[in-house]
Amino acid sequence: MKIVMLGHKRIPSREGGVEIVVEELATRMADKGHAVTVYNRKGTHVAGSANEQTEYGKKYKYKGVQVKTAFTLPQKSLNAIVYSFFATIKACFSGADVIHFHAEGPCSMIPLARLFGKKCVATIHGLDWQRAKWGGFATKFLLFGEKMAAKHADRVIVLSEGVKKYFQDTYERETIVIPNGITKPENREPNIIMYKYGLHGEDYLLFLARLVPEKGVHTLLEAYEKSNVKIPLVIAGGSSHSNEYCQKIEAMAEKINAEASKSHTGQKVIMTGFVQGKELEELYSNAMLYILPSEIEGMPLSLLEAMSYGNLCLTSDIPENADVTEDYGYSFVSGDVNSLTEKLIEVCVEAEPLRNTEKYTRESIQAFILGKYNWDDVTKRTLECYEGINRK
């Protein structure tokens, strides 16, 4: 089968969940013998040019996947729509049996692909128009993409039952729930993080995700300061179209560190910026507690990853987080600083006893999440979706 995927920024990359999903699906499908092409987006890495993977050019093979680059404009307001148009045009002339659109914005081009007689699958990774970083035009564009997916895609894939219900209630559109997957990671000793940040393992709290308003990092910093928990808080992640928000987070972190230095409270916020590779693996492997205070999610890959390393997890109580952790994690009321403060103190105090119970050992948490989510199963179900529409 000839398959085209578009909607991500680039692969290989960890700039966001969409990039991880496209890479995992595309490489597995190629390994099964399918001809897979993905269209990367021209532009710079969201965390800065220092994080570009310069060994890859405009056109290359990556783990059996043909990767091509589609033109776009550097302006944030036009970047996604211009890329989506040119990537779709290229896909329509590629001889593809299926074009798989990822995320709401790129789905705006599904009617164009249908004009060329192409079979189209849309994956809605989250209700992107709800995210706080977008303005008026961007919100309208994302909503338009959502509507085009609902009305014109041959199949719509969603990641959670909540979004499935939303599409049924809003558009009377049936969707297929195929959640994200995870693979068993390699746990690493603290070497890079010991040298760079003075972290030795089980001695820090970890937030690892993009620094955007809907991830709730501001709520976490307020709660951390209020809790007076004397364990460093590591904030790991790069920005994505939200530099103003990043500046706000950095200012909050500097204030906490300055106050802690004066009063000797022992609190410390460590801002790492964008991380990947062994440094990321070490941060996941050695955290005492992973915290995800997000107010909006599609399906949080960072939470799946944290649990795949066997981390204790404290998350906001939105359904998308609760569906992942079930009763293998702790939660607080989303957006509520006091609720997060109370739970943060509780879990930090109980962390050692919890680790000595069978349910909350690293091995138990890891076995639970790896048994629940699997990329090979996700790939199989997605291919079945393609085959179903090609039989029509």
Side-chain angles (χ1 to χ4, degrees):
M1 195 184 313
K2 291 183 178 179
I3 302 159
V4 169
M5 294 191 191
L6 61 93
H8 60 292
K9 292 185 178 71
R10 61 190 57 78
I11 69 164
S13 171
R14 288 191 56 89
E15 291 171 80
V18 177
E19 286 68 41
I20 295 170
V21 172
V22 170
E23 178 177 341
E24 295 287 353
L25 288 177
T27 54
R28 280 171 169 76
M29 289 176 182
D31 191 53
K32 290 179 179 293
H34 298 282
V36 185
T37 300
V38 304
Y39 285 98
N40 279 1
R41 188 184 312 186
K42 184 179 179 182
T44 56
H45 196 287
V46 297
S49 58
N51 293 285
E52 295 288 356
Q53 291 166 304
T54 53
E55 66 267 35
Y56 299 114
K58 289 184 178 180
K59 184 177 178 180
Y60 54 90
K61 276 270 191 176
Y62 176 70
K63 295 184 178 180
V65 177
Q66 181 64 58
V67 184
K68 299 180 180 180
T69 301
F71 171 80
T72 190
L73 296 172
Q75 292 92 338
K76 292 175 184 176
S77 59
L78 297 173
N79 185 283
I81 191 169
V82 173
Y83 155 78
S84 301
F85 174 76
F86 282 107
T88 301
I89 290 293
K90 287 188 173 190
C92 288
F93 287 97
S94 68
D97 298 307
V98 175
I99 304 176
H100 192 155
F101 292 79
H102 289 267
E104 289 189 334
C107 288
S108 61
M109 299 299 159
I110 290 176
L112 176 61
R114 294 303 301 272
L115 281 175
F116 282 83
K118 294 298 180 183
K119 301 291 187 181
C120 298
V121 173
T123 291
I124 305 298
H125 292 260
L127 304 179
D128 293 335
W129 59 270
Q130 295 180 350
R131 301 181 191 275
K133 66 182 177 181
W134 303 118
F137 172 76
T139 299
K140 289 175 183 176
F141 168 60
L142 292 167
L143 263 174
F144 177 72
E146 178 181 289
K147 290 175 183 176
M148 294 305 97
K151 292 182 179 181
H152 299 291
D154 292 282
R155 294 286 189 278
V156 178
I157 296 170
V158 297
L159 308 183
S160 68
E161 291 294 336
V163 178
K164 179 181 176 70
K165 183 177 186 302
Y166 168 82
F167 268 79
Q168 180 62 51
D169 293 347
T170 307
Y171 303 107
E172 296 184 348
R173 174 67 199 243
E174 285 298 322
T175 58
I176 305 165
V177 179
I178 305 179
N180 290 328
I182 197 69
T183 54
K184 187 176 181 178
E186 179 183 350
N187 284 75
R188 295 189 178 274
E189 294 297 315
N191 294 312
I192 297 171
I193 62 173
M194 187 186 300
Y195 173 76
K196 289 181 73 171
Y197 313 117
L199 303 172
H200 299 272
E202 299 293 335
D203 59 348
Y204 61 94
L205 313 172
L206 176 64
F207 167 90
L208 199 157
R210 288 173 300 128
L211 301 186
V212 289
E214 64 267 18
K215 294 293 183 182
V217 194
H218 53 288
T219 304
L220 172 56
L221 286 172
E222 286 183 50
Y224 176 67
E225 183 176 25
K226 192 172 181 180
S227 73
N228 202 29
V229 167
K230 296 176 176 60
I231 304 166
L233 169 62
V234 176
I235 304 289
S239 66
S240 176
H241 303 297
S242 54
N243 289 331
E244 188 177 319
Y245 182 72
C246 282
Q247 291 167 7
K248 172 185 174 179
I249 295 304
E250 287 166 3
M252 291 177 73
E254 287 171 8
K255 176 178 174 288
I256 292 171
N257 288 342
E259 290 295 327
S261 179
K262 276 189 218 173
S263 54
H264 306 287
T265 62
Q267 288 198 317
K268 183 181 182 182
V269 179
I270 299 169
M271 302 280 294
T272 70
F274 180 81
V275 292
Q276 58 187 348
K278 289 183 180 179
E279 182 176 339
L280 177 143
E281 293 165 5
E282 288 186 19
L283 284 170
Y284 273 137
S285 296
N286 298 284
M288 189 190 88
L289 175 67
Y290 176 80
I291 308 168
L292 186 63
S294 42
E295 297 170 12
I296 299 171
E297 284 289 354
M299 185 178 189
L301 269 169
S302 61
L303 179 56
L304 267 68
E305 290 179 333
M307 294 186 75
S308 77
Y309 282 87
N311 280 295
L312 286 175
C313 294
L314 173 60
T315 71
S316 58
D317 62 354
I318 60 174
E320 292 79 6
N321 288 340
D323 288 349
V324 171
T325 58
E326 295 188 18
D327 56 352
Y328 281 81
Y330 283 78
S331 66
F332 67 94
V333 178
S334 179
D336 188 322
V337 173
N338 291 331
S339 177
L340 177 51
T341 302
E342 291 171 10
K343 282 292 181 181
L344 188 55
I345 294 169
E346 177 187 336
V347 179
C348 286
V349 169
E350 296 294 326
E352 190 173 344
L354 282 171
R355 282 304 198 188
N356 290 323
T357 63
E358 185 178 346
K359 183 176 181 179
Y360 289 109
T361 63
R362 282 191 180 271
E363 294 75 18
S364 291
I365 294 171
Q366 187 179 60
F368 160 73
I369 206 70
L370 293 174
K372 186 177 178 183
Y373 300 104
N374 182 285
W375 278 122
D376 290 332
D377 179 59
V378 173
T379 303
K380 177 177 176 289
R381 293 177 64 192
T382 305
L383 284 170
E384 287 171 354
C385 179
Y386 298 166
E387 290 160 0
I389 60 175
N390 275 311
R391 285 196 295 266
K392 291 171 72 176

